């Protein structure tokens, strides 16, 4: 039986959050894991079916932008740690409608900092962990990597909102000696990712033999991190990281978008018993994203040297596992792509 602790996870019904909740609930029987989530379009309790009846798990529906709710919630619950993932997370949506990103990612984060600071003043052994993105560092050219010391240079409303919240979290450390830790990771992929992000969107479209919209020339590069590896890194940093520090987490797995989409086409053709080359014919180059960051790549030396973490799942294996998962979970996929998703997809692509 592990030590007794009560840990609040925000955004635990989302993609990364649901993997983290599952990991912590199963690994630490002595912890009470409280998942606070507003259940926006991106939050889905179906992601948590496996743990919903565990005695050490509790779900609470709530909005981090709602201060009276948060004050009441914190008056009723004493937390030892907070792992904060709740956010608006999709760059394209932040371009169409930035305000929700400002509200949840900036104001919501400060609301949480305030209620936690009030609860934790005069107490030791607490920790507020902010889960952030490498997009705060801006964009790279053909070479180089983001380090923890790289200057912030966010370029989309999404990344600017995450950069802002990182700064505020760090400001609470310096100003109030509030116990924080931050990690900035690269693009995650794997099961339960909402199909507005590149990989599940392409898998879903290949499945339905719909056009595969590749932005611009397709030569934009991302470093893909297997979501399970990320959840393990968060667990490690939460328990072993140092207060006030930042850790970069990367997959060491760079792909140009077009190469990745072609790879997915070939994998899916094989899994669906379609002739090789079938799905590549669906690739359609479309209008570029405004302010599109050219390349992200992480130097994850610090977390490797200091905490002994490195990614376990590499390139092709991760893409195969992901494609297989989506094909085995078409009910989940069909459910999540019904209703509001159709309206979003039509506005974005059609
Ligand atoms: P997601 O969009 O899948 O999930 C976000 C979750 O937050 C959802 O369950 C949603 O309901 C909840 N939420 C949104 N607004 C809320 C509010 N006001 N109050 C309470 N809950 C709210 O996101 P994700 O991909 O799982 O990302 C999780 C975190 O990791 C985010 O902070 C994101 O910025 C960061 N991140 C994600 C990636 C990635 O590749 N997905 C990469 C780097 C960093
Ligand atoms: P995305 O998954 O939205 O993550 P992020 O913008 O946070 O990196 O996009 C990954 C890359 O794929 C990015 O370069 C934009 C590109 N992209 C497309 O080419 N087509 C699409 O339909 C989507 C959603 C993304």
């Amino acid at each position: 039986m592990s030590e007794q602790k009560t840990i609040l996870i925000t955004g635990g019904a989302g993609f990364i959050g649901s993997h983290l909740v599952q990991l912590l609930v199963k690994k630490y029987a002595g912890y009470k894991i409280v998942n606070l989530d507003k259940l926006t379009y991106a939050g889905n309790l179906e992601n948590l079916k496996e743990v919903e009846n565990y005695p050490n798990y509790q779900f609470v529906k709530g909005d981090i932008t709602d201060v009276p709710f948060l004050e009441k919630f914190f008056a009723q619950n004493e937390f030892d740690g907070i792992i904060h993932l709740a956010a608006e997370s999709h760059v394209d949506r932040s371009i169409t409608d930035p305000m929700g990103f400002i509200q949840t990612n900036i104001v919501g984060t400060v609301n949480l900092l305030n209620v936690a600071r009030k609860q934790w003043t005069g107490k030791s052994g607490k920790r507020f962990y902010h889960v952030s993105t490498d997009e705060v560092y801006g964009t790279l050219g053909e070479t180089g990597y983001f380090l923890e010391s790289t200057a912030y240079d966010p370029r989309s409303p999404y990344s600017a909102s995450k950069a802002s919240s990182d700064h505020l979290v760090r400001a609470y450390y310096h100003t109030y000696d509030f116990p924080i830790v931050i990690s900035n990771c690269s693009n995650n992929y794997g099961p339960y990712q909402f199909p507005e992000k590149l990989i599940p969107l392409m898998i879903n479209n290949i499945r339905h033999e719909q056009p595969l919209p590749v932005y611009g020339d397709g030569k934009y590069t991302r470093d893909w991190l297997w979501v399970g590896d990320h959840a393990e890194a968060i667990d490690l940093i939460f328990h072993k990281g140092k207060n006030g520090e930042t850790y970069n987490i990367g997959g060491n797995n760079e792909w140009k978008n077009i190469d990745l989409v072609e790879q997915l086409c070939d994998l899916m053709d094989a899994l669906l018993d379609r002739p090789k080359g079938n799905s590549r014919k669906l690739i359609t180059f479309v209008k570029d994203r405004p302010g599109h960051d050219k390349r992200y790549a992480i130097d994850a030396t610090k977390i490797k040297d200091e905490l002994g973490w490195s990614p376990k799942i590499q390139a092709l294996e991760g893409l195969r596992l992901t494609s297989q998962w989506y094909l085995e979970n078409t009910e989940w996929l069909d459910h999540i792509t019904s209703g509001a998703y159709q309206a979003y997809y039509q506005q974005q692509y059609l």
Side-chain angles (χ1 to χ4, degrees):
M1 170 73 83
S2 49
E3 194 191 342
Q4 305 281 310
K5 275 183 199 273
T6 303
I7 310 295
L8 173 64
I9 300 186
T10 71
F15 166 49
I16 300 169
S18 59
H19 284 271
L20 182 68
V21 166
Q22 297 219 28
L23 174 75
L24 298 185
V25 166
K26 289 176 188 166
K27 183 168 173 184
Y28 300 102
Y31 285 13
K32 181 176 173 194
I33 303 294
V34 181
N35 171 15
L36 172 67
D37 198 296
K38 183 183 172 184
L39 298 183
T40 66
Y41 76 94
N44 184 356
L45 290 178
E46 287 174 37
N47 302 1
L48 292 157
K49 280 243 163 294
E50 260 187 58
V51 292
E52 65 185 6
N53 294 320
Y54 275 55
N56 61 335
Y57 171 69
Q58 186 190 355
F59 172 71
V60 176
K61 186 168 189 286
D63 184 342
I64 59 168
T65 68
D66 181 346
V67 174
F69 160 77
L70 277 183
E71 283 174 345
K72 195 164 155 216
F73 178 57
F74 271 68
Q76 289 165 347
N77 296 274
E78 171 80 27
F79 297 110
D80 299 296
I82 299 172
I83 310 181
H84 175 38
L85 297 98
E88 288 294 338
S89 68
H90 191 44
V91 173
D92 291 323
R93 288 185 193 249
S94 84
I95 294 169
T96 322
D97 184 12
M99 265 329 274
F101 289 71
I102 309 305
Q103 284 304 330
T104 289
N105 300 3
I106 306 177
V107 179
T109 300
V110 179
N111 290 341
L112 266 182
L113 288 167
N114 287 339
V115 284
R117 188 165 87 86
K118 188 168 163 206
Q119 181 171 94
W120 292 351
T121 298
K123 296 174 184 158
S124 61
K126 308 291 188 181
R127 171 158 280 177
F128 185 101
Y129 181 160
H130 186 227
V131 175
S132 191
T133 168
D134 62 354
E135 301 189 25
V136 299
Y137 299 123
T139 184
L140 293 164
E142 289 296 321
T143 58
Y145 295 92
F146 295 134
L147 285 161
E148 287 80 358
S149 56
T150 301
Y152 275 34
D153 183 23
R155 294 150 50 99
S156 73
Y158 164 66
S159 55
S161 70
K162 293 297 287 188
S164 178
S165 51
D166 285 4
H167 286 318
L168 285 156
V169 170
R170 265 189 213 105
Y172 274 58
Y173 171 72
H174 292 294
T175 309
Y176 307 114
D177 200 19
F178 183 73
I180 66 100
V181 68
I182 298 178
S183 60
N184 297 82
C185 69
S186 59
N187 289 58
N188 284 225
Y189 73 114
Y192 299 115
Q193 186 166 34
F194 192 84
E196 64 188 349
K197 305 279 191 333
L198 180 71
I199 291 177
L201 184 137
M202 294 298 167
I203 291 174
N204 193 36
N205 284 16
I206 292 170
R207 181 179 153 232
H208 292 294
E209 297 190 89
Q210 281 177 2
L212 308 178
V214 174
Y215 297 167
D217 64 2
K219 299 217 171 106
Y220 296 86
T221 302
R222 298 293 183 262
D223 165 20
W224 293 95
L225 170 65
W226 176 250
V227 64
D229 283 335
H230 185 201
E232 285 182 9
I234 294 175
D235 176 22
L236 197 61
I237 292 169
F238 181 69
H239 287 97
K240 302 267 166 61
K242 284 200 207 114
N243 279 347
E245 291 289 316
T246 293
Y247 299 87
N248 279 356
I249 311 170
N252 193 22
N253 184 21
E254 277 187 58
W255 289 80
K256 285 198 170 34
N257 292 337
I258 185 65
D259 298 338
L260 185 134
V261 172
E262 287 181 352
Q263 190 62 56
L264 275 176
C265 288
D266 296 350
L267 273 169
M268 290 285 289
D269 282 348
L271 289 168
L272 291 165
D273 256 339
R274 291 180 183 161
K276 191 167 183 321
N278 203 65
S279 298
R280 285 188 185 216
K281 290 187 204 139
L282 300 169
I283 293 174
T284 311
F285 291 93
V286 299
K287 193 157 112 7
D288 210 347
R289 172 188 282 174
H292 199 166
D293 288 337
K294 187 77 192 158
R295 175 172 166 258
Y296 304 142
I298 287 263
D299 181 332
T301 308
K302 177 174 172 178
I303 184 172
K304 181 168 189 266
D305 289 353
E306 292 187 14
L307 303 179
W309 177 90
S310 43
K312 291 187 193 130
I313 301 278
Q314 278 305 314
L316 283 180
E317 187 191 357
L319 290 180
R320 188 172 298 109
L321 288 170
T322 306
S323 306
Q324 269 164 350
W325 185 87
Y326 279 92
L327 288 178
E328 283 160 12
N329 290 274
T330 48
E331 204 179 314
W332 180 93
L333 193 51
D334 290 341
H335 193 183
I336 207 163
T337 53
S338 61
Y341 176 85
Q342 288 306 333
Y344 167 78
Y345 190 85
Q346 296 208 353
Q347 178 217 326
Q348 189 70 22
Y349 296 101
L350 303 178

